[in-house]
Amino acid sequence: MRVETSGSMILPMTLSSFPSFHGQALNEQLLQGLLASLELCLLLYSLLQWISLREPLYIKYSLLILGSVLFSVHFFGLGQMYLWTDNLWMERHMAGITALIAACGTALFIEDVLAQDMGRRLRRAMRILAGILATAALLHAFDVIDIHGVSIVMGTIGLLPSLLSVPGAVARIRRGDSVGTYFLVAWLGYFFVSAVMVGVVRGNVDANFWTMHAFLFGATLDMLIFLRIAVLRSTAVHFAAQRATREHDTLHSLAHSDPLTSLLNRRGLNTTLTAALHTCGPESLLAVYMLDLDGFKQVNDQHGHDAGDELLEIVASRLRATMRAGDGIARLGGDEFVVLAGGLQSDEQAIELGTKLVDAISLPFALSRHKCHVSVTIGYTLAPTDGRDADKLLKLADAAMYAGKQNGRNCLRRSETLKQGV
């Protein structure tokens, strides 16, 4: 038997008959093919996740997987037999380069996942370690350092990311975060299989199926655990983004809505009206209605403020039921409301819609303990016919409403900028 290699290789020797050897070789290749296929699937999955989610964690995980799968392929001879046959450079360098790439990806992965539990200096140290490992891979590729130099780097710097991550993992466990537990399980398994591999290399541990494959099984388990960590992390980030969006929407709603009726408040009205003015035109008019209830003060005085608040809530419901989807409805305070209706073709349509509002409020109100009747006086104006300035339009509609109050109430009146009224 003659074995010639200029790279690194573990070669336990046994005497076997050819049929026995052939069967063992086929089983070994089947095992290696299954594990390599699993690792390639993990690599493809992580790349697709990175493309779809644009989450940097998955590209770091991909780097880790790439180094691990190439190291395994080289370590068990599949690369030399099928992928880079008779390539002396690959034979001499693949073990060192792939090990360094996997360690670099591990450092970046840990720094990303445990960022919240690491101080600025520790995170910077992890990135520096990743840079050193990547640099060592380049130096080995150009024969500046040999495989023994790579072994020294891996035996010292290569283990530091795992050790530096332990405090962060423990902190996660104390908070009840399963990510910390997954990290500790991964590192315990990694150190165990590494010790077994070192024992095999030094001859202190017998070379059998389990010891020869311990590192491969351990690395595969770590990759699956790291995938679970990546999924948990991306899920947490997704939920945090959803929560932040909900909180933002809630704060926005509180800032732009009336707490009693949930209609727009003055700030929300200004925002909505400004946006509507940008889209209105001669063939798509915007009607601005100013509403004031007739007889609301009497309801408050006779039945109390609770009855008055209930009445305002019912008025808000009737306004919503009368208006179209997309129309703006606001309560400015007290019993004053503003309604915005866009996409109108003519003043006649504005009159028709305003009349529906008057009729809706004129119906009797059945409160919890009382029945009452109020009416509404409405002043309105049209944009861009009467202008495009929000404040001016509101003032014109308000003036028209007060003019209606002085002329009998319970009516709809157009602003008099064009000497037209209803």
Coordinates of all heavy atoms in Angstrom, one line a residue, residues 234-316:
S234 N -34.6 35.6 13.4 CA -35.3 36.3 12.3 C -36.8 36.5 12.7 O -37.5 37.5 12.4 CB -35.2 35.6 11.0 OG -35.7 34.3 11.1
T235 N -37.4 35.4 13.4 CA -38.7 35.5 13.9 C -38.9 36.6 14.9 O -39.9 37.4 14.9 CB -39.2 34.2 14.5 OG1 -39.1 33.2 13.5 CG2 -40.6 34.2 14.9
A236 N -37.9 36.7 15.8 CA -38.0 37.7 16.9 C -37.9 39.1 16.2 O -38.6 40.1 16.6 CB -36.8 37.5 17.9
V237 N -37.0 39.3 15.2 CA -36.9 40.6 14.6 C -38.2 40.9 13.8 O -38.6 42.1 13.9 CB -35.7 40.5 13.6 CG1 -35.7 41.7 12.7 CG2 -34.4 40.4 14.3
H238 N -38.8 39.9 13.2 CA -40.1 40.2 12.5 C -41.2 40.6 13.5 O -41.9 41.6 13.2 CB -40.5 38.9 11.8 CG -41.8 39.0 11.1 ND1 -42.0 39.8 10.0 CD2 -43.0 38.4 11.3 CE1 -43.2 39.7 9.5 NE2 -43.9 38.8 10.3
F239 N -41.3 39.9 14.6 CA -42.3 40.3 15.6 C -42.0 41.6 16.2 O -42.9 42.4 16.4 CB -42.3 39.2 16.7 CG -43.0 37.9 16.3 CD1 -42.7 36.7 17.0 CD2 -44.0 37.9 15.3 CE1 -43.4 35.6 16.6 CE2 -44.6 36.8 14.9 CZ -44.3 35.6 15.6
A240 N -40.7 41.9 16.4 CA -40.4 43.3 16.9 C -40.7 44.4 16.0 O -41.2 45.4 16.4 CB -38.9 43.3 17.3
A241 N -40.5 44.1 14.7 CA -40.9 45.1 13.7 C -42.4 45.2 13.6 O -42.9 46.4 13.5 CB -40.4 44.6 12.3
Q242 N -43.2 44.1 13.7 CA -44.6 44.2 13.8 C -45.1 45.0 15.0 O -46.0 45.8 14.9 CB -45.2 42.8 13.8 CG -45.2 42.1 12.4 CD -45.9 40.8 12.5 OE1 -46.0 40.1 13.5 NE2 -46.5 40.4 11.3
R243 N -44.5 44.7 16.1 CA -44.9 45.4 17.4 C -44.6 46.9 17.2 O -45.4 47.7 17.7 CB -44.1 44.8 18.5 CG -44.5 45.4 19.9 CD -44.0 44.6 21.1 NE -42.5 44.6 21.0 CZ -41.8 43.5 20.8 NH1 -42.4 42.4 20.4 NH2 -40.5 43.5 20.8
A244 N -43.4 47.2 16.7 CA -43.1 48.6 16.5 C -44.1 49.3 15.6 O -44.5 50.5 15.8 CB -41.7 48.8 16.0
T245 N -44.5 48.6 14.5 CA -45.5 49.2 13.6 C -46.8 49.4 14.3 O -47.4 50.4 14.1 CB -45.6 48.2 12.4 OG1 -44.4 48.1 11.7 CG2 -46.7 48.8 11.4
R246 N -47.2 48.4 15.1 CA -48.5 48.5 15.8 C -48.4 49.7 16.8 O -49.4 50.5 16.9 CB -48.8 47.2 16.5 CG -49.3 46.1 15.6 CD -49.9 45.0 16.4 NE -49.0 44.4 17.4 CZ -48.3 43.4 17.2 NH1 -48.3 42.8 16.0 NH2 -47.5 42.9 18.1
E247 N -47.3 49.8 17.5 CA -47.2 50.9 18.5 C -47.2 52.2 17.7 O -47.7 53.2 18.2 CB -45.9 50.7 19.3 CG -45.9 49.5 20.2 CD -44.6 49.3 20.9 OE1 -43.6 50.0 20.6 OE2 -44.5 48.5 21.8
H248 N -46.5 52.3 16.6 CA -46.5 53.5 15.8 C -47.9 53.9 15.3 O -48.3 55.0 15.4 CB -45.5 53.4 14.6 CG -45.5 54.6 13.7 ND1 -46.4 54.7 12.6 CD2 -44.7 55.7 13.7 CE1 -46.1 55.8 12.0 NE2 -45.1 56.5 12.7
D249 N -48.6 52.8 14.9 CA -50.0 53.1 14.4 C -50.8 53.6 15.6 O -51.7 54.4 15.4 CB -50.5 51.8 13.8 CG -49.9 51.5 12.5 OD1 -49.2 52.4 11.9 OD2 -50.0 50.3 12.0
T250 N -50.6 52.9 16.7 CA -51.4 53.3 17.9 C -51.2 54.8 18.3 O -52.1 55.6 18.6 CB -51.1 52.4 19.1 OG1 -51.5 51.1 18.7 CG2 -52.0 52.8 20.3
L251 N -49.9 55.1 18.3 CA -49.5 56.5 18.7 C -50.0 57.5 17.7 O -50.5 58.6 18.0 CB -48.0 56.6 18.8 CG -47.3 55.9 20.0 CD1 -45.8 56.0 19.9 CD2 -47.8 56.5 21.3
H252 N -49.9 57.1 16.4 CA -50.4 58.0 15.3 C -51.9 58.1 15.5 O -52.5 59.2 15.3 CB -50.1 57.4 14.0 CG -50.5 58.2 12.8 ND1 -51.8 58.1 12.2 CD2 -49.8 59.2 12.1 CE1 -51.9 59.0 11.3 NE2 -50.7 59.7 11.1
S253 N -52.6 57.0 15.8 CA -54.1 57.1 15.9 C -54.5 58.0 17.1 O -55.4 58.8 17.0 CB -54.7 55.7 16.1 OG -56.1 55.7 16.4
L254 N -53.7 57.8 18.2 CA -54.0 58.7 19.4 C -53.8 60.1 19.1 O -54.5 61.0 19.6 CB -53.1 58.2 20.6 CG -53.5 56.8 21.2 CD1 -52.5 56.4 22.2 CD2 -54.9 56.8 21.8
A255 N -52.7 60.4 18.3 CA -52.4 61.8 18.0 C -53.3 62.4 17.0 O -53.4 63.6 17.0 CB -51.0 61.9 17.5
H256 N -54.0 61.6 16.2 CA -54.8 62.1 15.1 C -56.3 61.8 15.2 O -57.1 62.1 14.3 CB -54.3 61.6 13.8 CG -53.0 62.1 13.4 ND1 -51.8 61.7 13.9 CD2 -52.6 63.1 12.5 CE1 -50.8 62.3 13.4 NE2 -51.2 63.2 12.5
S257 N -56.7 61.3 16.4 CA -58.2 60.9 16.5 C -58.7 61.5 17.8 O -58.0 61.7 18.8 CB -58.3 59.4 16.5 OG -57.7 58.8 17.5
D258 N -60.1 61.6 17.8 CA -60.8 62.1 18.9 C -61.0 60.9 19.9 O -61.6 59.9 19.5 CB -62.1 62.7 18.5 CG -63.0 63.1 19.6 OD1 -62.6 63.8 20.5 OD2 -64.2 62.6 19.6
P259 N -60.7 61.1 21.2 CA -60.8 59.9 22.1 C -62.2 59.5 22.3 O -62.5 58.3 22.6 CB -60.2 60.5 23.4 CG -60.2 61.9 23.3 CD -60.1 62.2 21.8
L260 N -63.2 60.4 22.2 CA -64.6 60.0 22.5 C -65.2 59.3 21.3 O -65.8 58.2 21.5 CB -65.4 61.3 22.9 CG -66.9 61.1 23.1 CD1 -67.1 60.1 24.3 CD2 -67.6 62.4 23.3
T261 N -65.1 59.8 20.1 CA -65.8 59.3 19.0 C -64.9 58.5 18.0 O -65.4 57.8 17.1 CB -66.4 60.4 18.2 OG1 -65.4 61.3 17.7 CG2 -67.4 61.3 19.0
S262 N -63.6 58.5 18.3 CA -62.6 57.9 17.4 C -62.6 58.5 16.0 O -62.0 57.9 15.1 CB -62.9 56.3 17.3 OG -62.8 55.7 18.6
L263 N -63.3 59.6 15.8 CA -63.1 60.3 14.5 C -61.8 61.1 14.5 O -61.1 61.1 15.5 CB -64.3 61.3 14.4 CG -65.7 60.7 14.4 CD1 -66.7 61.9 14.3 CD2 -65.9 59.8 13.2
L264 N -61.5 61.7 13.4 CA -60.3 62.5 13.3 C -60.4 63.7 14.2 O -61.5 64.2 14.4 CB -60.1 63.0 11.9 CG -59.8 61.9 10.8 CD1 -59.9 62.6 9.4 CD2 -58.5 61.2 11.0
N265 N -59.3 64.1 14.8 CA -59.3 65.3 15.6 C -58.8 66.4 14.7 O -58.6 66.2 13.5 CB -58.5 65.2 16.9 CG -57.0 64.8 16.6 OD1 -56.6 64.9 15.4 ND2 -56.3 64.5 17.6
R266 N -58.5 67.6 15.2 CA -58.1 68.7 14.4 C -56.8 68.4 13.6 O -56.7 68.8 12.5 CB -58.0 70.0 15.3 CG -57.8 71.3 14.5 CD -57.7 72.5 15.4 NE -59.0 72.7 16.1 CZ -60.0 73.4 15.6 NH1 -59.9 73.9 14.4 NH2 -61.1 73.5 16.3
R267 N -55.9 67.8 14.3 CA -54.6 67.5 13.6 C -54.8 66.5 12.5 O -54.3 66.6 11.4 CB -53.6 66.9 14.6 CG -52.3 66.5 14.0 CD -51.4 65.9 15.0 NE -51.0 66.8 16.1 CZ -50.2 66.5 17.1 NH1 -49.7 65.3 17.2 NH2 -49.8 67.5 18.0
G268 N -55.6 65.4 12.8 CA -55.9 64.5 11.8 C -56.7 65.1 10.6 O -56.5 64.7 9.4
L269 N -57.6 66.0 10.9 CA -58.3 66.7 9.8 C -57.4 67.5 8.9 O -57.5 67.5 7.7 CB -59.4 67.6 10.5 CG -60.1 68.6 9.5 CD1 -60.9 67.8 8.5 CD2 -61.0 69.6 10.2
N270 N -56.5 68.2 9.5 CA -55.5 69.0 8.7 C -54.7 68.1 7.8 O -54.5 68.5 6.6 CB -54.6 69.8 9.6 CG -55.4 70.9 10.4 OD1 -56.4 71.4 9.9 ND2 -54.8 71.3 11.5
T271 N -54.3 67.0 8.3 CA -53.5 66.1 7.5 C -54.3 65.5 6.3 O -53.9 65.5 5.2 CB -53.0 64.9 8.3 OG1 -52.1 65.4 9.4 CG2 -52.1 64.0 7.5
T272 N -55.6 65.1 6.7 CA -56.4 64.5 5.6 C -56.9 65.6 4.6 O -56.9 65.3 3.4 CB -57.7 63.9 6.3 OG1 -57.2 62.9 7.3 CG2 -58.6 63.2 5.3
L273 N -57.2 66.7 5.1 CA -57.6 67.8 4.2 C -56.5 68.2 3.2 O -56.7 68.4 2.0 CB -58.2 69.0 5.0 CG -58.6 70.2 4.2 CD1 -59.7 69.8 3.1 CD2 -59.2 71.3 5.1
T274 N -55.3 68.4 3.8 CA -54.2 68.8 2.9 C -53.9 67.7 1.8 O -53.7 68.1 0.7 CB -52.9 68.9 3.8 OG1 -53.2 69.9 4.8 CG2 -51.7 69.3 2.9
A275 N -54.0 66.4 2.2 CA -53.8 65.4 1.2 C -54.9 65.4 0.1 O -54.7 65.2 -1.1 CB -53.8 64.0 1.9
A276 N -56.2 65.6 0.6 CA -57.3 65.6 -0.4 C -57.2 66.8 -1.3 O -57.6 66.7 -2.5 CB -58.6 65.7 0.4
L277 N -56.7 67.9 -0.9 CA -56.6 69.1 -1.7 C -55.6 68.9 -2.9 O -55.8 69.5 -4.0 CB -56.2 70.3 -0.9 CG -57.2 70.9 0.0 CD1 -56.7 72.0 0.9 CD2 -58.4 71.4 -0.8
H278 N -54.7 68.0 -2.7 CA -53.7 67.7 -3.8 C -54.3 66.9 -4.9 O -53.8 66.9 -6.0 CB -52.5 67.0 -3.2 CG -51.6 67.8 -2.4 ND1 -50.9 68.9 -2.9 CD2 -51.3 67.7 -1.1 CE1 -50.2 69.5 -1.9 NE2 -50.4 68.8 -0.8
T279 N -55.4 66.2 -4.6 CA -56.0 65.4 -5.7 C -57.3 65.9 -6.3 O -57.8 65.4 -7.2 CB -56.3 64.0 -5.1 OG1 -57.2 64.1 -4.0 CG2 -55.0 63.3 -4.5
C280 N -57.8 67.0 -5.7 CA -59.1 67.6 -6.2 C -58.8 68.4 -7.5 O -57.7 68.9 -7.7 CB -59.8 68.4 -5.2 SG -59.0 70.0 -4.8
G281 N -59.9 68.6 -8.3 CA -59.8 69.4 -9.5 C -61.1 69.8 -10.0 O -62.1 69.5 -9.4
P282 N -61.2 70.5 -11.1 CA -62.5 71.0 -11.6 C -63.5 69.9 -11.9 O -64.7 70.1 -11.7 CB -62.1 71.7 -12.9 CG -60.7 72.1 -12.7 CD -60.1 71.0 -11.9
E283 N -63.0 68.7 -12.2 CA -63.9 67.6 -12.5 C -64.0 66.6 -11.3 O -64.6 65.5 -11.4 CB -63.5 66.8 -13.8 CG -63.6 67.7 -15.0 CD -63.2 67.0 -16.2 OE1 -62.8 65.8 -16.1 OE2 -63.3 67.6 -17.3
S284 N -63.3 66.9 -10.2 CA -63.3 66.0 -9.0 C -63.2 67.0 -7.8 O -62.2 67.2 -7.2 CB -62.1 65.1 -9.0 OG -62.0 64.3 -7.9
L285 N -64.4 67.5 -7.5 CA -64.5 68.5 -6.5 C -64.4 67.9 -5.1 O -64.8 66.7 -4.9 CB -65.9 69.3 -6.6 CG -66.1 70.0 -7.9 CD1 -67.5 70.5 -8.0 CD2 -65.1 71.1 -8.2
L286 N -63.9 68.7 -4.2 CA -63.9 68.3 -2.7 C -64.8 69.2 -2.0 O -64.7 70.4 -2.0 CB -62.4 68.5 -2.2 CG -62.3 68.3 -0.7 CD1 -62.5 66.8 -0.3 CD2 -60.9 68.7 -0.3
A287 N -65.8 68.6 -1.3 CA -66.7 69.4 -0.5 C -66.3 69.3 1.0 O -65.9 68.2 1.5 CB -68.1 68.8 -0.6
V288 N -66.2 70.5 1.6 CA -65.9 70.6 3.0 C -67.1 71.1 3.8 O -67.6 72.2 3.6 CB -64.7 71.6 3.2 CG1 -64.3 71.7 4.7 CG2 -63.5 71.2 2.4
Y289 N -67.6 70.2 4.6 CA -68.9 70.4 5.4 C -68.5 70.8 6.8 O -67.8 70.0 7.5 CB -69.8 69.3 5.4 CG -70.3 68.8 4.0 CD1 -69.7 67.8 3.3 CD2 -71.4 69.4 3.4 CE1 -70.1 67.4 2.1 CE2 -71.9 69.0 2.2 CZ -71.2 68.0 1.5 OH -71.7 67.6 0.3
M290 N -69.0 71.9 7.4 CA -68.9 72.2 8.8 C -70.2 72.0 9.4 O -71.2 72.6 9.0 CB -68.4 73.6 8.9 CG -68.2 74.1 10.4 SD -66.8 73.3 11.2 CE -65.5 74.2 10.3
L291 N -70.3 71.1 10.4 CA -71.6 70.8 11.1 C -71.6 71.2 12.5 O -70.6 71.1 13.3 CB -71.8 69.2 11.1 CG -72.0 68.5 9.7 CD1 -70.7 68.4 9.0 CD2 -72.6 67.2 10.0
D292 N -72.7 71.8 13.0 CA -72.9 72.1 14.4 C -74.3 71.7 14.8 O -75.3 72.0 14.1 CB -72.8 73.6 14.5 CG -72.8 74.0 16.0 OD1 -71.7 74.0 16.6 OD2 -73.9 74.4 16.5
L293 N -74.4 70.9 15.9 CA -75.7 70.4 16.3 C -76.6 71.5 16.9 O -76.1 72.4 17.6 CB -75.5 69.3 17.4 CG -74.7 68.1 16.9 CD1 -74.6 67.1 18.1 CD2 -75.3 67.4 15.7
D294 N -77.9 71.4 16.6 CA -78.8 72.4 17.1 C -79.5 71.7 18.3 O -80.1 70.6 18.2 CB -79.9 72.7 16.1 CG -79.3 73.2 14.8 OD1 -78.3 74.0 14.9 OD2 -79.8 72.9 13.7
G295 N -79.5 72.3 19.5 CA -80.1 71.8 20.7 C -79.2 70.9 21.5 O -79.7 70.2 22.5
F296 N -78.0 70.8 21.2 CA -77.1 69.9 22.0 C -76.9 70.4 23.4 O -76.9 69.6 24.4 CB -75.7 69.8 21.3 CG -74.7 69.0 22.1 CD1 -74.8 67.6 22.1 CD2 -73.7 69.6 22.8 CE1 -73.9 66.9 22.9 CE2 -72.7 68.9 23.5 CZ -72.8 67.5 23.5
K297 N -76.8 71.7 23.6 CA -76.6 72.3 24.9 C -77.8 71.9 25.8 O -77.6 71.6 27.0 CB -76.5 73.8 24.8 CG -76.2 74.5 26.2 CD -76.0 76.0 25.9 CE -75.6 76.7 27.3 NZ -76.6 76.5 28.3
Q298 N -79.0 71.9 25.3 CA -80.2 71.6 26.1 C -80.1 70.1 26.6 O -80.5 69.8 27.7 CB -81.5 71.8 25.3 CG -81.8 73.2 25.1 CD -81.0 73.9 24.0 OE1 -80.1 73.3 23.4 NE2 -81.4 75.1 23.6
V299 N -79.6 69.2 25.7 CA -79.5 67.8 26.1 C -78.5 67.7 27.3 O -78.7 67.0 28.3 CB -79.0 66.9 24.9 CG1 -78.7 65.5 25.4 CG2 -80.1 67.0 23.8
N300 N -77.4 68.4 27.2 CA -76.4 68.4 28.2 C -76.9 69.0 29.5 O -76.7 68.4 30.6 CB -75.1 69.2 27.8 CG -74.0 68.4 27.4 OD1 -73.9 67.2 27.7 ND2 -73.0 69.0 26.7
D301 N -77.7 70.1 29.4 CA -78.2 70.7 30.6 C -79.3 69.9 31.3 O -79.3 69.8 32.5 CB -78.8 72.1 30.3 CG -77.7 73.1 29.9 OD1 -76.5 72.8 30.2 OD2 -78.0 74.1 29.2
Q302 N -80.1 69.2 30.5 CA -81.2 68.5 31.1 C -80.8 67.1 31.6 O -81.3 66.6 32.6 CB -82.4 68.3 30.0 CG -83.0 69.6 29.7 CD -84.1 69.5 28.6 OE1 -84.5 68.3 28.3 NE2 -84.6 70.6 28.1
H303 N -80.0 66.4 30.8 CA -79.7 65.0 31.1 C -78.2 64.7 31.6 O -77.9 63.6 31.9 CB -80.0 64.1 29.9 CG -81.3 64.3 29.3 ND1 -82.5 64.0 30.1 CD2 -81.8 64.8 28.1 CE1 -83.6 64.3 29.3 NE2 -83.1 64.7 28.1
G304 N -77.4 65.7 31.5 CA -76.0 65.6 32.0 C -75.0 65.3 30.9 O -75.4 65.0 29.7
H305 N -73.8 65.4 31.3 CA -72.7 65.2 30.3 C -72.6 63.8 29.7 O -72.2 63.6 28.6 CB -71.3 65.7 30.8 CG -71.3 67.2 31.1 ND1 -71.2 68.1 30.1 CD2 -71.3 67.9 32.2 CE1 -71.1 69.3 30.6 NE2 -71.2 69.2 31.9
D306 N -72.9 62.8 30.5 CA -72.9 61.4 30.1 C -73.8 61.2 28.9 O -73.5 60.6 27.9 CB -73.2 60.5 31.2 CG -72.1 60.4 32.2 OD1 -71.0 60.8 31.9 OD2 -72.4 59.9 33.4
A307 N -75.0 61.8 29.0 CA -76.0 61.7 27.9 C -75.5 62.5 26.7 O -75.6 62.0 25.6 CB -77.3 62.2 28.4
G308 N -74.8 63.6 26.9 CA -74.3 64.4 25.8 C -73.2 63.6 25.1 O -73.1 63.6 23.9
D309 N -72.3 63.0 25.9 CA -71.2 62.2 25.2 C -71.8 61.0 24.4 O -71.4 60.7 23.3 CB -70.3 61.6 26.3 CG -69.4 62.7 26.9 OD1 -69.4 63.8 26.4 OD2 -68.8 62.4 28.0
E310 N -72.9 60.4 25.0 CA -73.5 59.3 24.3 C -74.1 59.8 23.0 O -74.1 59.1 21.9 CB -74.6 58.6 25.2 CG -75.2 57.4 24.5 CD -76.2 56.7 25.4 OE1 -76.4 57.2 26.5 OE2 -76.8 55.7 25.0
L311 N -74.7 61.0 23.0 CA -75.3 61.5 21.8 C -74.3 61.8 20.8 O -74.5 61.5 19.6 CB -76.1 62.8 22.2 CG -76.6 63.7 21.0 CD1 -77.6 62.9 20.3 CD2 -77.2 65.0 21.6
L312 N -73.1 62.3 21.2 CA -72.0 62.6 20.2 C -71.5 61.3 19.6 O -71.2 61.3 18.4 CB -70.9 63.3 20.9 CG -71.2 64.7 21.4 CD1 -70.0 65.3 22.2 CD2 -71.5 65.7 20.2
E313 N -71.5 60.2 20.3 CA -71.0 59.0 19.8 C -72.0 58.4 18.7 O -71.6 57.9 17.7 CB -70.9 57.9 20.9 CG -69.7 58.2 21.8 CD -69.5 57.2 22.9 OE1 -68.9 56.1 22.6 OE2 -70.1 57.4 24.0
I314 N -73.3 58.6 19.0 CA -74.3 58.2 18.0 C -74.3 59.1 16.8 O -74.4 58.6 15.7 CB -75.7 58.2 18.7 CG1 -75.8 57.3 19.9 CG2 -76.8 57.9 17.6 CD1 -77.1 57.3 20.6
V315 N -74.1 60.4 17.0 CA -73.9 61.3 15.8 C -72.8 60.8 15.0 O -72.9 60.7 13.7 CB -73.7 62.7 16.3 CG1 -73.3 63.6 15.1 CG2 -75.0 63.3 16.9
A316 N -71.6 60.5 15.6 CA -70.5 60.0 14.9 C -70.8 58.7 14.1 O -70.4 58.6 12.9 CB -69.3 59.7 15.8

